[in-house]
């Protein structure tokens, strides 16, 4: 899937999308020439959430996409929980939103930077 990378910045209490360029992985044996490295500085309390388009593009029975805004809201609502629980909350929110009808596979990874 087409991945999205979101970052919660504790200093600004905001979730932003980390924009990048490059190719979707998984279609060639050696991706080293296709990957562009982007460096960001993390501070204690910052959170990185990566997910595939299966999460973002899943639709409700009314045809509305789950969207990045719901993921951002979920991050902000669950800051105090461990990353595993944050992912479980996102999954539960998605299943409720879609009435448990998924059309695509979903991958979610959350990383909390706790201290230096």
């Amino acid at each position: 899937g087409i991945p999205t990378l979101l970052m919660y910045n504790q200093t600004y209490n905001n979730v932003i999308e980390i924009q990048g360029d490059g190719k979707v992985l998984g279609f060639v044996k050696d991706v080293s020439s296709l990957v562009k490295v982007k460096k960001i500085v993390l501070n204690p309390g910052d959170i990185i959430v990566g997910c595939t388009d299966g999460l973002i593009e899943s639709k409700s029975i009314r045809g509305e996409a789950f969207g990045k805004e719901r993921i951002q809201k979920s991050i902000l609502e669950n800051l105090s929980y461990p990353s595993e629980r944050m992912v479980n909350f996102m999954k539960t929110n998605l299943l409720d939103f879609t009435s448990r009808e998924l059309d695509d596979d979903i991958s979610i990874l959350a990383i909390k930077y706790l201290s230096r």
Side-chain angles (χ1 to χ4, degrees):
I2 301 167
T4 295
L5 198 58
L6 300 167
M7 179 180 140
Y8 167 76
N9 181 287
Q10 186 176 34
T11 303
Y12 298 109
N13 192 34
N14 193 20
V15 179
I16 60 167
E17 183 174 359
I18 298 174
Q19 298 289 329
D21 46 0
K23 308 288 187 230
V24 175
L25 302 179
F27 64 95
V28 295
K29 286 185 178 187
D30 181 12
V31 298
S32 59
S33 66
L34 302 173
V35 175
K36 294 182 181 180
V37 175
K38 183 168 186 170
K39 295 181 182 183
I40 58 169
V41 176
L42 294 177
N43 295 301
D46 290 351
I47 301 168
I48 300 291
V49 174
C51 63
T52 57
D53 61 341
L55 177 65
I56 298 165
E57 296 174 359
S58 288
K59 298 200 183 312
S60 70
I61 57 173
R62 288 174 265 157
E64 181 183 4
F66 191 72
K68 293 176 187 174
E69 296 80 22
R70 282 188 178 81
I71 299 166
Q72 291 170 320
K73 182 179 176 188
S74 181
I75 293 168
L76 290 170
E77 289 175 345
N78 298 293
L79 293 172
S80 63
Y81 293 101
S83 54
E84 180 181 2
R85 291 216 37 212
M86 292 179 76
V87 169
N88 285 333
F89 287 137
M90 279 184 226
K91 179 182 151 194
T92 299
N93 290 342
L94 175 68
L95 292 174
D96 291 345
F97 179 80
T98 61
S99 300
R100 304 203 179 282
E101 297 288 329
L102 300 178
D103 294 332
D104 198 355
D105 60 323
I106 298 163
S107 296
I108 308 169
L109 172 69
I111 301 168
K112 292 182 86 169
Y113 185 59
L114 302 177
S115 65
R116 291 188 187 263

